[in-house]
Amino acid sequence: MGKINTYILGGGITGLVWKFYNPDYQIISPDIGGVFAKTHMVWLHDTMETRKLLTDIGFRNPERLTMKSYIGYFTNGWVSDIQTEDLNRRIILRKMTAWNEKIDKTWDPPTRDLSTVNIVGNNYMNTLDVDLEEVILRISDKSDIMNGRVVNIDKSNIIIENKDGLSSAPYESLVSTIPAPFFWSAYGDISKEFKSIPITNIIVSKCPPFFDEDYSMIYYTEEFPFSRVSNIRGKYCIEFTGIITQEEFKNLYPDLHVEEYFVVKHGRLFNCPGNNPPAENIIFSGRFGKWEYGITTEIVVKQVYDYKFKNKKNENQSSKESIVSSERESSIFV
Ligand SMILES: Cc1cc2nc3c(=O)[nH]c(=O)nc-3n(C[C@H](O)[C@H](O)[C@H](O)COP(=O)(O)OP(=O)(O)OC[C@H]3O[C@@H](n4cnc5c(N)ncnc54)[C@H](O)[C@@H]3O)c2cc1C
């Protein structure tokens, strides 16, 4: 039997994946799609989960979309395929320091892994060449979304704010994909400390002079004010750590016309150990919901399948009739 009164907080890709595989859940969100398609700095990694997702939302033969997205490292006027220890450190310092602040060269980063590659790994990601706006359109096609923002959460009720004012709804369970600091402040607990730095994505359609089109993404060091540039389907995204205004960007690069401008509030987040949901009927999901650096789309899809499969198994313990559908479900990973 389907759940009633289960709400998904947030309508980004994470909330939409939960809704797609659990159509009787209700999304509450002020917008659809979140940051996924807006940054032009997000790739759909080629995994079993993302292929399955694409198939389920109507893309035929996703294996044909597979490609290698090459990563370069800009140093001393050229792009290297290899990270040395020193280059890796300088890239991380650039990435973790706001564009207009002085880099503290004595800082020892707690990890040497970049989000996409580690120092000894290959300099490419296996990705799926797909329009992320199209993914959002298809996955949200039949989703009815309750417009609003959740402003208060207690053990059995949520309060939603929208243009008509405040309303209250009882819940049986919640899937929270909204940034953890928002969740906890709505829950009335501000004891945890969540640290993050915003990033600014500036999207241009002309190839910047500091980019090389042989690559999908290039990392930069203290030689530049930005930390990386991507090329996804002919759009170039220049990523700054911190907030840079369009005016400030134009002053730096008058020849580059800004097509889109987007700030990701928690672009660089610092993990917060112990960020566990406060009750068994609340699930945290997605990078910002779990507040875990490194969570990507395939991890969310896996979480949703595992959850569905676990629930199916529990139902099956009391009903032999559903064994067939349970077996079908498990074939997802075969
Ligand atoms: C720089 C960067 C690069 C990344 N690269 C990749 C990548 O290459 N591949 C990849 O798979 N992932 C990548 N990620 C992770 C990426 O963030 C996720 O894959 C995904 O886009 C996050 O989606 P989300 O739905 O979890 O969060 P969001 O997109 O932030 O969605 C949250 C939603 O919650 C809504 N909301 C906020 N507050 C409330 C409230 N109070 N009540 C109701 N709704 C609310 C928002 O409006 C929004 O719709 C990257 C992330 C960053 C920051």
PDB file of all heavy atoms in Angstrom, residues 10-14 28-31 34-36 41-43 45 148-150 177-179 182 199 228 239 264 267 286-288 295-297, ligand 1:
ATOM      1  N   GLY A  10      11.695  20.070  -1.114  1.00  0.00           N
ATOM      2  CA  GLY A  10      12.652  20.496  -2.140  1.00  0.00           C
ATOM      3  C   GLY A  10      12.383  19.829  -3.483  1.00  0.00           C
ATOM      4  O   GLY A  10      12.172  18.615  -3.556  1.00  0.00           O
ATOM      5  N   GLY A  11      12.399  20.642  -4.545  1.00  0.00           N
ATOM      6  CA  GLY A  11      12.095  20.141  -5.901  1.00  0.00           C
ATOM      7  C   GLY A  11      13.289  20.170  -6.829  1.00  0.00           C
ATOM      8  O   GLY A  11      13.142  20.327  -8.038  1.00  0.00           O
ATOM      9  N   GLY A  12      14.505  20.013  -6.274  1.00  0.00           N
ATOM     10  CA  GLY A  12      15.700  19.855  -7.121  1.00  0.00           C
ATOM     11  C   GLY A  12      15.730  18.433  -7.667  1.00  0.00           C
ATOM     12  O   GLY A  12      14.773  17.662  -7.508  1.00  0.00           O
ATOM     13  N   ILE A  13      16.847  18.046  -8.294  1.00  0.00           N
ATOM     14  CA  ILE A  13      16.907  16.711  -8.899  1.00  0.00           C
ATOM     15  C   ILE A  13      16.671  15.622  -7.849  1.00  0.00           C
ATOM     16  O   ILE A  13      16.019  14.609  -8.119  1.00  0.00           O
ATOM     17  CB  ILE A  13      18.248  16.477  -9.669  1.00  0.00           C
ATOM     18  CG1 ILE A  13      18.244  15.153 -10.422  1.00  0.00           C
ATOM     19  CG2 ILE A  13      19.443  16.540  -8.751  1.00  0.00           C
ATOM     20  CD1 ILE A  13      17.302  15.079 -11.574  1.00  0.00           C
ATOM     21  N   THR A  14      17.151  15.855  -6.620  1.00  0.00           N
ATOM     22  CA  THR A  14      16.982  14.818  -5.585  1.00  0.00           C
ATOM     23  C   THR A  14      15.505  14.617  -5.269  1.00  0.00           C
ATOM     24  O   THR A  14      14.999  13.481  -5.266  1.00  0.00           O
ATOM     25  CB  THR A  14      17.754  15.212  -4.302  1.00  0.00           C
ATOM     26  OG1 THR A  14      19.117  15.425  -4.655  1.00  0.00           O
ATOM     27  CG2 THR A  14      17.674  14.142  -3.242  1.00  0.00           C
ATOM     28  N   ILE A  28       7.093  19.641  -1.904  1.00  0.00           N
ATOM     29  CA  ILE A  28       6.837  21.051  -1.558  1.00  0.00           C
ATOM     30  C   ILE A  28       8.109  21.809  -1.909  1.00  0.00           C
ATOM     31  O   ILE A  28       9.199  21.474  -1.414  1.00  0.00           O
ATOM     32  CB  ILE A  28       6.568  21.232  -0.043  1.00  0.00           C
ATOM     33  CG1 ILE A  28       5.427  20.335   0.413  1.00  0.00           C
ATOM     34  CG2 ILE A  28       6.282  22.699   0.282  1.00  0.00           C
ATOM     35  CD1 ILE A  28       5.306  20.228   1.920  1.00  0.00           C
ATOM     36  N   SER A  29       7.997  22.806  -2.768  1.00  0.00           N
ATOM     37  CA  SER A  29       9.198  23.541  -3.188  1.00  0.00           C
ATOM     38  C   SER A  29       8.810  24.865  -3.847  1.00  0.00           C
ATOM     39  O   SER A  29       7.765  24.944  -4.493  1.00  0.00           O
ATOM     40  CB  SER A  29       9.992  22.698  -4.200  1.00  0.00           C
ATOM     41  OG  SER A  29      11.183  23.340  -4.578  1.00  0.00           O
ATOM     42  N   PRO A  30       9.659  25.896  -3.701  1.00  0.00           N
ATOM     43  CA  PRO A  30       9.355  27.146  -4.405  1.00  0.00           C
ATOM     44  C   PRO A  30       9.741  27.094  -5.880  1.00  0.00           C
ATOM     45  O   PRO A  30       9.352  27.966  -6.652  1.00  0.00           O
ATOM     46  CB  PRO A  30      10.212  28.186  -3.658  1.00  0.00           C
ATOM     47  CG  PRO A  30      11.344  27.403  -3.077  1.00  0.00           C
ATOM     48  CD  PRO A  30      10.845  26.003  -2.835  1.00  0.00           C
ATOM     49  N   ASP A  31      10.547  26.105  -6.292  1.00  0.00           N
ATOM     50  CA  ASP A  31      10.972  26.039  -7.698  1.00  0.00           C
ATOM     51  C   ASP A  31      11.139  24.582  -8.113  1.00  0.00           C
ATOM     52  O   ASP A  31      11.079  23.682  -7.277  1.00  0.00           O
ATOM     53  CB  ASP A  31      12.311  26.774  -7.897  1.00  0.00           C
ATOM     54  CG  ASP A  31      13.449  26.035  -7.229  1.00  0.00           C
ATOM     55  OD1 ASP A  31      13.306  25.700  -6.032  1.00  0.00           O
ATOM     56  OD2 ASP A  31      14.456  25.733  -7.893  1.00  0.00           O
ATOM     57  N   GLY A  34      16.048  23.005  -9.036  1.00  0.00           N
ATOM     58  CA  GLY A  34      17.158  23.417  -8.172  1.00  0.00           C
ATOM     59  C   GLY A  34      18.382  23.823  -8.967  1.00  0.00           C
ATOM     60  O   GLY A  34      18.258  24.465 -10.021  1.00  0.00           O
ATOM     61  N   VAL A  35      19.545  23.402  -8.509  1.00  0.00           N
ATOM     62  CA  VAL A  35      20.795  23.858  -9.133  1.00  0.00           C
ATOM     63  C   VAL A  35      21.228  22.976 -10.311  1.00  0.00           C
ATOM     64  O   VAL A  35      22.093  23.365 -11.088  1.00  0.00           O
ATOM     65  CB  VAL A  35      21.973  23.919  -8.115  1.00  0.00           C
ATOM     66  CG1 VAL A  35      21.629  24.732  -6.897  1.00  0.00           C
ATOM     67  CG2 VAL A  35      22.438  22.537  -7.695  1.00  0.00           C
ATOM     68  N   PHE A  36      20.644  21.804 -10.457  1.00  0.00           N
ATOM     69  CA  PHE A  36      21.116  20.750 -11.368  1.00  0.00           C
ATOM     70  C   PHE A  36      21.450  21.240 -12.788  1.00  0.00           C
ATOM     71  O   PHE A  36      22.566  21.073 -13.266  1.00  0.00           O
ATOM     72  CB  PHE A  36      20.029  19.673 -11.425  1.00  0.00           C
ATOM     73  CG  PHE A  36      20.378  18.424 -12.164  1.00  0.00           C
ATOM     74  CD1 PHE A  36      21.359  17.566 -11.687  1.00  0.00           C
ATOM     75  CD2 PHE A  36      19.703  18.075 -13.324  1.00  0.00           C
ATOM     76  CE1 PHE A  36      21.649  16.388 -12.354  1.00  0.00           C
ATOM     77  CE2 PHE A  36      19.990  16.899 -13.993  1.00  0.00           C
ATOM     78  CZ  PHE A  36      20.963  16.060 -13.503  1.00  0.00           C
ATOM     79  N   MET A  41      27.894  23.143 -14.535  1.00  0.00           N
ATOM     80  CA  MET A  41      29.102  22.568 -13.939  1.00  0.00           C
ATOM     81  C   MET A  41      28.749  21.195 -13.357  1.00  0.00           C
ATOM     82  O   MET A  41      29.457  20.656 -12.524  1.00  0.00           O
ATOM     83  CB  MET A  41      29.618  23.535 -12.854  1.00  0.00           C
ATOM     84  CG  MET A  41      30.994  23.302 -12.304  1.00  0.00           C
ATOM     85  SD  MET A  41      32.322  23.176 -13.490  1.00  0.00           S
ATOM     86  CE  MET A  41      32.884  24.855 -13.677  1.00  0.00           C
ATOM     87  N   VAL A  42      27.615  20.645 -13.805  1.00  0.00           N
ATOM     88  CA  VAL A  42      27.190  19.335 -13.308  1.00  0.00           C
ATOM     89  C   VAL A  42      27.163  18.344 -14.480  1.00  0.00           C
ATOM     90  O   VAL A  42      26.629  18.645 -15.541  1.00  0.00           O
ATOM     91  CB  VAL A  42      25.782  19.424 -12.654  1.00  0.00           C
ATOM     92  CG1 VAL A  42      25.212  18.034 -12.396  1.00  0.00           C
ATOM     93  CG2 VAL A  42      25.840  20.204 -11.339  1.00  0.00           C
ATOM     94  N   TRP A  43      27.770  17.178 -14.258  1.00  0.00           N
ATOM     95  CA  TRP A  43      27.755  16.097 -15.250  1.00  0.00           C
ATOM     96  C   TRP A  43      26.935  14.938 -14.699  1.00  0.00           C
ATOM     97  O   TRP A  43      26.957  14.688 -13.485  1.00  0.00           O
ATOM     98  CB  TRP A  43      29.177  15.582 -15.524  1.00  0.00           C
ATOM     99  CG  TRP A  43      30.006  16.492 -16.351  1.00  0.00           C
ATOM    100  CD1 TRP A  43      30.208  16.401 -17.708  1.00  0.00           C
ATOM    101  CD2 TRP A  43      30.760  17.624 -15.915  1.00  0.00           C
ATOM    102  NE1 TRP A  43      31.030  17.419 -18.121  1.00  0.00           N
ATOM    103  CE2 TRP A  43      31.383  18.173 -17.054  1.00  0.00           C
ATOM    104  CE3 TRP A  43      30.966  18.228 -14.681  1.00  0.00           C
ATOM    105  CZ2 TRP A  43      32.194  19.297 -16.989  1.00  0.00           C
ATOM    106  CZ3 TRP A  43      31.763  19.354 -14.606  1.00  0.00           C
ATOM    107  CH2 TRP A  43      32.371  19.884 -15.754  1.00  0.00           C
ATOM    108  N   HIS A  45      27.159  11.365 -14.301  1.00  0.00           N
ATOM    109  CA  HIS A  45      28.200  10.337 -14.413  1.00  0.00           C
ATOM    110  C   HIS A  45      27.587   9.058 -14.990  1.00  0.00           C
ATOM    111  O   HIS A  45      26.436   8.740 -14.698  1.00  0.00           O
ATOM    112  CB  HIS A  45      28.819  10.076 -13.039  1.00  0.00           C
ATOM    113  CG  HIS A  45      29.458  11.311 -12.466  1.00  0.00           C
ATOM    114  ND1 HIS A  45      30.616  11.833 -12.957  1.00  0.00           N
ATOM    115  CD2 HIS A  45      29.064  12.156 -11.490  1.00  0.00           C
ATOM    116  CE1 HIS A  45      30.925  12.931 -12.298  1.00  0.00           C
ATOM    117  NE2 HIS A  45      29.990  13.154 -11.399  1.00  0.00           N
ATOM    118  N   GLY A 148       5.770  26.377  -2.403  1.00  0.00           N
ATOM    119  CA  GLY A 148       5.945  26.949  -1.063  1.00  0.00           C
ATOM    120  C   GLY A 148       7.264  26.532  -0.460  1.00  0.00           C
ATOM    121  O   GLY A 148       8.039  25.780  -1.062  1.00  0.00           O
ATOM    122  N   ARG A 149       7.504  27.041   0.690  1.00  0.00           N
ATOM    123  CA  ARG A 149       8.731  26.812   1.425  1.00  0.00           C
ATOM    124  C   ARG A 149       8.338  26.276   2.805  1.00  0.00           C
ATOM    125  O   ARG A 149       7.419  26.823   3.425  1.00  0.00           O
ATOM    126  CB  ARG A 149       9.387  28.181   1.619  1.00  0.00           C
ATOM    127  CG  ARG A 149      10.847  28.213   1.549  1.00  0.00           C
ATOM    128  CD  ARG A 149      11.307  29.663   1.475  1.00  0.00           C
ATOM    129  NE  ARG A 149      11.787  29.990   0.154  1.00  0.00           N
ATOM    130  CZ  ARG A 149      12.932  29.552  -0.353  1.00  0.00           C
ATOM    131  NH1 ARG A 149      13.713  28.786   0.370  1.00  0.00           N
ATOM    132  NH2 ARG A 149      13.304  29.890  -1.562  1.00  0.00           N
ATOM    133  N   VAL A 150       9.003  25.236   3.255  1.00  0.00           N
ATOM    134  CA  VAL A 150       8.698  24.733   4.597  1.00  0.00           C
ATOM    135  C   VAL A 150       9.456  25.593   5.601  1.00  0.00           C
ATOM    136  O   VAL A 150      10.667  25.761   5.487  1.00  0.00           O
ATOM    137  CB  VAL A 150       9.100  23.248   4.712  1.00  0.00           C
ATOM    138  CG1 VAL A 150       8.938  22.752   6.133  1.00  0.00           C
ATOM    139  CG2 VAL A 150       8.270  22.425   3.759  1.00  0.00           C
ATOM    140  N   THR A 177      15.363  17.192   1.270  1.00  0.00           N
ATOM    141  CA  THR A 177      16.482  17.435   0.350  1.00  0.00           C
ATOM    142  C   THR A 177      16.940  18.889   0.455  1.00  0.00           C
ATOM    143  O   THR A 177      17.816  19.318  -0.272  1.00  0.00           O
ATOM    144  CB  THR A 177      16.068  17.133  -1.113  1.00  0.00           C
ATOM    145  OG1 THR A 177      15.271  18.205  -1.620  1.00  0.00           O
ATOM    146  CG2 THR A 177      15.295  15.842  -1.225  1.00  0.00           C
ATOM    147  N   ILE A 178      16.310  19.643   1.334  1.00  0.00           N
ATOM    148  CA  ILE A 178      16.680  21.062   1.476  1.00  0.00           C
ATOM    149  C   ILE A 178      17.990  21.158   2.265  1.00  0.00           C
ATOM    150  O   ILE A 178      18.319  20.241   3.025  1.00  0.00           O
ATOM    151  CB  ILE A 178      15.558  21.886   2.159  1.00  0.00           C
ATOM    152  CG1 ILE A 178      15.301  21.409   3.595  1.00  0.00           C
ATOM    153  CG2 ILE A 178      14.277  21.810   1.343  1.00  0.00           C
ATOM    154  CD1 ILE A 178      14.245  22.230   4.339  1.00  0.00           C
ATOM    155  N   PRO A 179      18.754  22.217   2.082  1.00  0.00           N
ATOM    156  CA  PRO A 179      20.030  22.288   2.795  1.00  0.00           C
ATOM    157  C   PRO A 179      19.855  22.071   4.308  1.00  0.00           C
ATOM    158  O   PRO A 179      18.924  22.603   4.925  1.00  0.00           O
ATOM    159  CB  PRO A 179      20.515  23.704   2.481  1.00  0.00           C
ATOM    160  CG  PRO A 179      19.887  24.016   1.154  1.00  0.00           C
ATOM    161  CD  PRO A 179      18.538  23.366   1.191  1.00  0.00           C
ATOM    162  N   PHE A 182      18.855  24.770   6.794  1.00  0.00           N
ATOM    163  CA  PHE A 182      17.442  25.197   6.747  1.00  0.00           C
ATOM    164  C   PHE A 182      16.571  24.203   7.508  1.00  0.00           C
ATOM    165  O   PHE A 182      15.685  24.580   8.242  1.00  0.00           O
ATOM    166  CB  PHE A 182      16.909  25.269   5.304  1.00  0.00           C
ATOM    167  CG  PHE A 182      17.567  26.273   4.417  1.00  0.00           C
ATOM    168  CD1 PHE A 182      17.264  26.309   3.056  1.00  0.00           C
ATOM    169  CD2 PHE A 182      18.476  27.205   4.902  1.00  0.00           C
ATOM    170  CE1 PHE A 182      17.862  27.222   2.211  1.00  0.00           C
ATOM    171  CE2 PHE A 182      19.085  28.119   4.070  1.00  0.00           C
ATOM    172  CZ  PHE A 182      18.779  28.117   2.725  1.00  0.00           C
ATOM    173  N   ILE A 199      29.509  29.712  -4.264  1.00  0.00           N
ATOM    174  CA  ILE A 199      30.274  29.861  -5.502  1.00  0.00           C
ATOM    175  C   ILE A 199      29.423  30.624  -6.508  1.00  0.00           C
ATOM    176  O   ILE A 199      28.190  30.625  -6.403  1.00  0.00           O
ATOM    177  CB  ILE A 199      30.701  28.508  -6.110  1.00  0.00           C
ATOM    178  CG1 ILE A 199      29.492  27.614  -6.367  1.00  0.00           C
ATOM    179  CG2 ILE A 199      31.713  27.799  -5.261  1.00  0.00           C
ATOM    180  CD1 ILE A 199      29.845  26.350  -7.108  1.00  0.00           C
ATOM    181  N   ARG A 228      37.722  26.962 -11.736  1.00  0.00           N
ATOM    182  CA  ARG A 228      37.638  26.019 -12.865  1.00  0.00           C
ATOM    183  C   ARG A 228      36.698  26.550 -13.944  1.00  0.00           C
ATOM    184  O   ARG A 228      35.887  27.446 -13.686  1.00  0.00           O
ATOM    185  CB  ARG A 228      37.238  24.610 -12.441  1.00  0.00           C
ATOM    186  CG  ARG A 228      35.971  24.520 -11.664  1.00  0.00           C
ATOM    187  CD  ARG A 228      35.673  23.056 -11.323  1.00  0.00           C
ATOM    188  NE  ARG A 228      34.521  22.984 -10.447  1.00  0.00           N
ATOM    189  CZ  ARG A 228      33.803  21.909 -10.219  1.00  0.00           C
ATOM    190  NH1 ARG A 228      34.115  20.781 -10.790  1.00  0.00           N
ATOM    191  NH2 ARG A 228      32.775  21.932  -9.410  1.00  0.00           N
ATOM    192  N   GLU A 239      33.780  29.247 -12.938  1.00  0.00           N
ATOM    193  CA  GLU A 239      33.352  29.101 -11.548  1.00  0.00           C
ATOM    194  C   GLU A 239      34.287  29.851 -10.597  1.00  0.00           C
ATOM    195  O   GLU A 239      35.487  29.585 -10.559  1.00  0.00           O
ATOM    196  CB  GLU A 239      33.322  27.618 -11.181  1.00  0.00           C
ATOM    197  CG  GLU A 239      32.822  27.360  -9.778  1.00  0.00           C
ATOM    198  CD  GLU A 239      32.898  25.889  -9.433  1.00  0.00           C
ATOM    199  OE1 GLU A 239      33.967  25.427  -9.002  1.00  0.00           O
ATOM    200  OE2 GLU A 239      31.903  25.187  -9.627  1.00  0.00           O
ATOM    201  N   VAL A 264      25.525  29.532  -6.273  1.00  0.00           N
ATOM    202  CA  VAL A 264      25.157  28.343  -5.489  1.00  0.00           C
ATOM    203  C   VAL A 264      25.554  28.646  -4.044  1.00  0.00           C
ATOM    204  O   VAL A 264      26.737  28.718  -3.718  1.00  0.00           O
ATOM    205  CB  VAL A 264      25.903  27.071  -5.979  1.00  0.00           C
ATOM    206  CG1 VAL A 264      25.413  25.839  -5.229  1.00  0.00           C
ATOM    207  CG2 VAL A 264      25.731  26.879  -7.480  1.00  0.00           C
ATOM    208  N   GLY A 267      27.928  26.141  -2.351  1.00  0.00           N
ATOM    209  CA  GLY A 267      28.735  25.506  -3.398  1.00  0.00           C
ATOM    210  C   GLY A 267      29.878  24.665  -2.850  1.00  0.00           C
ATOM    211  O   GLY A 267      30.169  23.594  -3.359  1.00  0.00           O
ATOM    212  N   GLY A 286      20.471  13.726  -0.823  1.00  0.00           N
ATOM    213  CA  GLY A 286      21.128  14.733  -1.663  1.00  0.00           C
ATOM    214  C   GLY A 286      22.289  15.405  -0.939  1.00  0.00           C
ATOM    215  O   GLY A 286      22.453  15.283   0.271  1.00  0.00           O
ATOM    216  N   ARG A 287      23.110  16.091  -1.734  1.00  0.00           N
ATOM    217  CA  ARG A 287      24.321  16.697  -1.184  1.00  0.00           C
ATOM    218  C   ARG A 287      24.030  17.698  -0.079  1.00  0.00           C
ATOM    219  O   ARG A 287      24.656  17.700   0.966  1.00  0.00           O
ATOM    220  CB  ARG A 287      25.114  17.397  -2.300  1.00  0.00           C
ATOM    221  CG  ARG A 287      26.402  18.003  -1.796  1.00  0.00           C
ATOM    222  CD  ARG A 287      27.236  18.619  -2.888  1.00  0.00           C
ATOM    223  NE  ARG A 287      27.648  17.675  -3.911  1.00  0.00           N
ATOM    224  CZ  ARG A 287      28.675  17.874  -4.738  1.00  0.00           C
ATOM    225  NH1 ARG A 287      29.398  18.964  -4.640  1.00  0.00           N
ATOM    226  NH2 ARG A 287      28.973  16.998  -5.666  1.00  0.00           N
ATOM    227  N   PHE A 288      23.040  18.543  -0.304  1.00  0.00           N
ATOM    228  CA  PHE A 288      22.765  19.601   0.675  1.00  0.00           C
ATOM    229  C   PHE A 288      21.907  19.076   1.828  1.00  0.00           C
ATOM    230  O   PHE A 288      22.042  19.518   2.954  1.00  0.00           O
ATOM    231  CB  PHE A 288      22.092  20.796  -0.017  1.00  0.00           C
ATOM    232  CG  PHE A 288      22.870  21.268  -1.223  1.00  0.00           C
ATOM    233  CD1 PHE A 288      22.363  21.134  -2.510  1.00  0.00           C
ATOM    234  CD2 PHE A 288      24.137  21.810  -1.060  1.00  0.00           C
ATOM    235  CE1 PHE A 288      23.097  21.545  -3.617  1.00  0.00           C
ATOM    236  CE2 PHE A 288      24.887  22.220  -2.168  1.00  0.00           C
ATOM    237  CZ  PHE A 288      24.361  22.086  -3.448  1.00  0.00           C
ATOM    238  N   ILE A 295      28.298  13.925  -2.751  1.00  0.00           N
ATOM    239  CA  ILE A 295      27.077  13.208  -3.149  1.00  0.00           C
ATOM    240  C   ILE A 295      26.651  13.676  -4.534  1.00  0.00           C
ATOM    241  O   ILE A 295      26.489  14.873  -4.781  1.00  0.00           O
ATOM    242  CB  ILE A 295      25.945  13.416  -2.125  1.00  0.00           C
ATOM    243  CG1 ILE A 295      26.351  12.706  -0.840  1.00  0.00           C
ATOM    244  CG2 ILE A 295      24.607  12.900  -2.669  1.00  0.00           C
ATOM    245  CD1 ILE A 295      25.244  12.441   0.117  1.00  0.00           C
ATOM    246  N   THR A 296      26.522  12.711  -5.435  1.00  0.00           N
ATOM    247  CA  THR A 296      26.139  13.024  -6.820  1.00  0.00           C
ATOM    248  C   THR A 296      24.827  12.297  -7.145  1.00  0.00           C
ATOM    249  O   THR A 296      24.307  11.531  -6.332  1.00  0.00           O
ATOM    250  CB  THR A 296      27.272  12.590  -7.768  1.00  0.00           C
ATOM    251  OG1 THR A 296      27.746  11.317  -7.330  1.00  0.00           O
ATOM    252  CG2 THR A 296      28.424  13.568  -7.770  1.00  0.00           C
ATOM    253  N   THR A 297      24.346  12.526  -8.350  1.00  0.00           N
ATOM    254  CA  THR A 297      23.004  12.040  -8.705  1.00  0.00           C
ATOM    255  C   THR A 297      22.864  10.523  -8.550  1.00  0.00           C
ATOM    256  O   THR A 297      21.850  10.027  -8.051  1.00  0.00           O
ATOM    257  CB  THR A 297      22.684  12.449 -10.156  1.00  0.00           C
ATOM    258  OG1 THR A 297      23.028  13.822 -10.300  1.00  0.00           O
ATOM    259  CG2 THR A 297      21.223  12.261 -10.481  1.00  0.00           C
TER     260      THR A 297
HETATM  261  C1  LIG B   1      29.856  22.974  -7.886  1.00  0.00           C
HETATM  262  C2  LIG B   1      29.085  21.707  -7.856  1.00  0.00           C
HETATM  263  C3  LIG B   1      29.339  20.722  -8.800  1.00  0.00           C
HETATM  264  C4  LIG B   1      28.617  19.551  -8.794  1.00  0.00           C
HETATM  265  N1  LIG B   1      28.876  18.614  -9.748  1.00  0.00           N
HETATM  266  C5  LIG B   1      28.095  17.511  -9.815  1.00  0.00           C
HETATM  267  C6  LIG B   1      28.248  16.582 -10.901  1.00  0.00           C
HETATM  268  O1  LIG B   1      29.088  16.760 -11.778  1.00  0.00           O
HETATM  269  N2  LIG B   1      27.414  15.510 -10.944  1.00  0.00           N
HETATM  270  C7  LIG B   1      26.437  15.308 -10.012  1.00  0.00           C
HETATM  271  O2  LIG B   1      25.691  14.327 -10.117  1.00  0.00           O
HETATM  272  N3  LIG B   1      26.296  16.158  -8.963  1.00  0.00           N
HETATM  273  C8  LIG B   1      27.083  17.255  -8.857  1.00  0.00           C
HETATM  274  N4  LIG B   1      26.917  18.127  -7.834  1.00  0.00           N
HETATM  275  C9  LIG B   1      25.991  17.793  -6.797  1.00  0.00           C
HETATM  276  C10 LIG B   1      24.711  18.469  -7.169  1.00  0.00           C
HETATM  277  O3  LIG B   1      24.567  19.537  -6.330  1.00  0.00           O
HETATM  278  C11 LIG B   1      23.575  17.514  -7.135  1.00  0.00           C
HETATM  279  O4  LIG B   1      23.777  16.508  -8.051  1.00  0.00           O
HETATM  280  C12 LIG B   1      22.231  18.158  -7.385  1.00  0.00           C
HETATM  281  O5  LIG B   1      22.239  19.155  -8.368  1.00  0.00           O
HETATM  282  C13 LIG B   1      21.719  18.720  -6.080  1.00  0.00           C
HETATM  283  O6  LIG B   1      20.357  18.669  -6.181  1.00  0.00           O
HETATM  284  P1  LIG B   1      19.431  18.658  -4.912  1.00  0.00           P
HETATM  285  O7  LIG B   1      18.061  18.436  -5.408  1.00  0.00           O
HETATM  286  O8  LIG B   1      19.946  17.731  -3.886  1.00  0.00           O
HETATM  287  O9  LIG B   1      19.584  20.136  -4.295  1.00  0.00           O
HETATM  288  P2  LIG B   1      19.077  21.514  -4.915  1.00  0.00           P
HETATM  289  O10 LIG B   1      19.232  21.544  -6.361  1.00  0.00           O
HETATM  290  O11 LIG B   1      19.716  22.595  -4.113  1.00  0.00           O
HETATM  291  O12 LIG B   1      17.525  21.503  -4.618  1.00  0.00           O
HETATM  292  C14 LIG B   1      16.997  21.815  -3.350  1.00  0.00           C
HETATM  293  C15 LIG B   1      15.587  22.297  -3.560  1.00  0.00           C
HETATM  294  O13 LIG B   1      15.029  22.621  -2.281  1.00  0.00           O
HETATM  295  C16 LIG B   1      14.291  23.830  -2.399  1.00  0.00           C
HETATM  296  N5  LIG B   1      14.176  24.408  -1.062  1.00  0.00           N
HETATM  297  C17 LIG B   1      15.098  25.101  -0.360  1.00  0.00           C
HETATM  298  N6  LIG B   1      14.600  25.455   0.849  1.00  0.00           N
HETATM  299  C18 LIG B   1      13.353  24.949   0.913  1.00  0.00           C
HETATM  300  C19 LIG B   1      12.336  24.958   1.910  1.00  0.00           C
HETATM  301  N7  LIG B   1      12.509  25.562   3.093  1.00  0.00           N
HETATM  302  N8  LIG B   1      11.160  24.327   1.647  1.00  0.00           N
HETATM  303  C20 LIG B   1      10.967  23.685   0.465  1.00  0.00           C
HETATM  304  N9  LIG B   1      11.894  23.665  -0.512  1.00  0.00           N
HETATM  305  C21 LIG B   1      13.067  24.282  -0.297  1.00  0.00           C
HETATM  306  C22 LIG B   1      15.115  24.655  -3.377  1.00  0.00           C
HETATM  307  O14 LIG B   1      14.371  25.721  -3.886  1.00  0.00           O
HETATM  308  C23 LIG B   1      15.475  23.575  -4.396  1.00  0.00           C
HETATM  309  O15 LIG B   1      14.457  23.385  -5.327  1.00  0.00           O
HETATM  310  C24 LIG B   1      27.623  19.319  -7.806  1.00  0.00           C
HETATM  311  C25 LIG B   1      27.373  20.307  -6.862  1.00  0.00           C
HETATM  312  C26 LIG B   1      28.082  21.490  -6.877  1.00  0.00           C
HETATM  313  C27 LIG B   1      27.784  22.523  -5.845  1.00  0.00           C
END
